[in-house]
Amino acid sequence: MELRHLRYFCVVAEELNLTRAAARLHMAQPPLSRQIKQLESEVGADLFQRSSRGLRLTAAGQFFYEHTLQILEKVEVTTAATRRMARSKRRLFGIGFVPSVFYGQLPLLVRDLRQKDDVELTLAELTTVQQVQALKAGRIDIGFGRLRIDDPDVEQEVLFDEPLMAALPADHPLANSRPTLAQLADYPLVLFPAKPRPSLADITLGLFRRQGLKVSVAQEANELQTALSLVASEIGITLVPEQVKRVQRDGIVFVYLDDRTITSPVICSRRKGEPPSDIMRQANTILEVLVENRRTGRYP
């Protein structure tokens, strides 16, 4: 399957007429019809319903069309960004992150690097496992996550251990206390992210399991904001890293746990043995200051 097949398909899906689509593509109708048939054969599904009245997208065709538009848009954006970078001679620097680390100091690292004229930043929301894969493939240069991954090609540095807090509905019985895990286990749990795993969800479940506590998972959510909305709706409670308390949400309170040693690490991952580039050295210098701010409580 080539990009031209996807472009042909989108034009036919928009025109729902092979004659008009062929004219728009500046090609003859028979080869266009053959290309669409080949695409359907490769996909393994009929993308169009054909009748004397013309063409209609099937349910599979509508699904394929919506996702093909996203693919083509991504290709266009990536191509344009590559051209800009080539013209400006800027160096690419990729950062991967899990959402729960983006509420504290990390945005300042991004801000400071963006101010450098010779750097083109790319940001990717990835789990720690995905960050390791992206580092090895060269898609990112540094990652920020919470899981320790044993991989010979990647080095990890624990920047700091972050206390976990309970996110509770505002009128929850434990809202004005420092609850224990045993107390929290009595209430339904909202777990996030639901996938991909392993993730912070597994860290959360492991905390209860190590204390011999069973929890009832009321709902799983892929996004932190969705999890907080579920808490505000009184579906359940959830555990979040301390940085998340900076999120202002109606109907939610964040409370520290009775045991302040219950933490989640913030881990920086880099390719092992790779000499640091100028950009990486700049990033490391900024990161040292930000981590020190975090450790000493000097928030921006």
Side-chain angles (χ1 to χ4, degrees):
M1 186 183 304
E2 301 178 19
L3 283 176
R4 62 187 175 89
H5 296 126
L6 300 183
R7 294 190 176 99
Y8 293 166
F9 165 73
C10 283
V11 172
V12 175
E14 290 162 3
E15 296 292 343
L16 293 178
N17 182 287
L18 283 169
T19 301
R20 290 197 301 269
R24 186 171 151 189
L25 290 165
H26 306 289
M27 63 187 299
Q29 179 179 330
L32 175 59
S33 182
R34 287 195 298 271
Q35 296 283 356
I36 297 300
K37 281 288 189 182
Q38 290 173 5
L39 179 63
E40 288 179 313
S41 176
E42 188 165 351
V43 171
D46 289 333
L47 302 177
F48 295 98
Q49 291 178 351
R50 296 163 173 85
S51 70
S52 58
R53 296 183 178 181
L55 301 178
R56 289 181 57 191
L57 283 169
T58 63
Q62 183 64 39
F63 175 85
F64 192 72
Y65 174 65
E66 292 171 359
H67 286 268
T68 297
L69 285 179
Q70 296 176 23
I71 292 169
L72 294 177
E73 181 180 3
K74 180 66 175 177
V75 170
E76 184 177 343
V77 170
T78 302
T79 301
T82 302
R83 288 172 181 156
R84 287 196 306 272
M85 188 176 67
R87 287 195 300 266
S88 65
K89 309 300 182 182
R90 302 178 82 183
R91 293 169 292 174
L92 191 65
F93 190 75
I95 299 176
F97 64 94
V98 297
S100 62
V101 304
F102 216 75
Y103 291 94
Q105 302 283 306
L106 184 56
L108 297 181
L109 171 67
V110 173
R111 183 200 67 187
D112 288 353
L113 287 177
R114 280 177 60 87
Q115 292 176 354
K116 299 186 179 301
D117 294 334
D118 60 345
V119 178
E120 180 83 23
L121 281 187
T122 63
L123 301 175
E125 182 179 319
L126 302 168
T127 67
T128 308
V129 173
Q130 291 170 330
Q131 289 175 32
V132 169
Q133 297 167 348
L135 282 166
K136 294 166 68 172
R139 295 193 299 271
I140 64 172
D141 298 284
I142 192 169
F144 299 93
R146 295 188 180 276
L147 293 179
R148 294 175 174 85
I149 305 293
D150 186 15
D151 190 291
D153 297 320
V154 174
E155 62 181 17
Q156 290 190 306
E157 175 190 1
V158 176
L159 302 179
F160 54 86
D161 289 306
E162 183 175 7
L164 291 180
M165 304 183 71
L168 310 172
D171 59 353
H172 195 276
L174 300 176
N176 295 314
S177 68
R178 288 184 174 237
T180 64
L181 284 182
Q183 289 175 305
L184 293 175
D186 290 335
Y187 297 92
L189 182 68
V190 174
L191 198 64
F192 76 95
K195 58 183 180 181
R197 306 280 281 275
S199 65
L200 182 62
D202 300 282
I203 294 176
T204 299
L205 292 175
L207 291 171
F208 287 100
R209 188 167 50 247
R210 284 191 292 274
Q211 292 196 16
L213 300 170
K214 293 184 178 180
V215 293
S216 172
V217 177
Q219 185 77 40
E220 295 188 3
N222 284 330
E223 305 292 340
L224 170 60
Q225 293 293 342
T226 303
L228 294 178
S229 295
L230 292 170
V231 171
S233 301
E234 301 186 356
I235 301 298
I237 60 98
T238 194
L239 294 183
V240 298
E242 183 184 36
Q243 296 177 55
V244 177
K245 73 179 182 180
R246 305 176 71 174
V247 178
Q248 300 297 319
R249 290 296 299 266
D250 292 337
I252 290 180
V253 295
F254 298 101
V255 298
Y256 284 102
L257 304 182
D258 178 68
D259 185 353
R260 293 294 294 272
T261 66
I262 295 176
T263 60
S264 171
V266 174
I267 298 174
C268 178
S269 300
R270 306 177 182 86
R271 282 183 287 273
K272 182 178 290 185
E274 181 176 277
S277 63
D278 290 344
I279 305 174
M280 182 65 78
R281 282 194 289 268
Q282 293 170 11
N284 290 340
T285 299
I286 297 169
L287 196 57
E288 288 175 4
V289 175
L290 299 182
V291 169
E292 184 61 23
N293 286 345
R294 176 62 181 78
R295 286 174 173 159
T296 58
R298 295 196 302 272
Y299 288 94

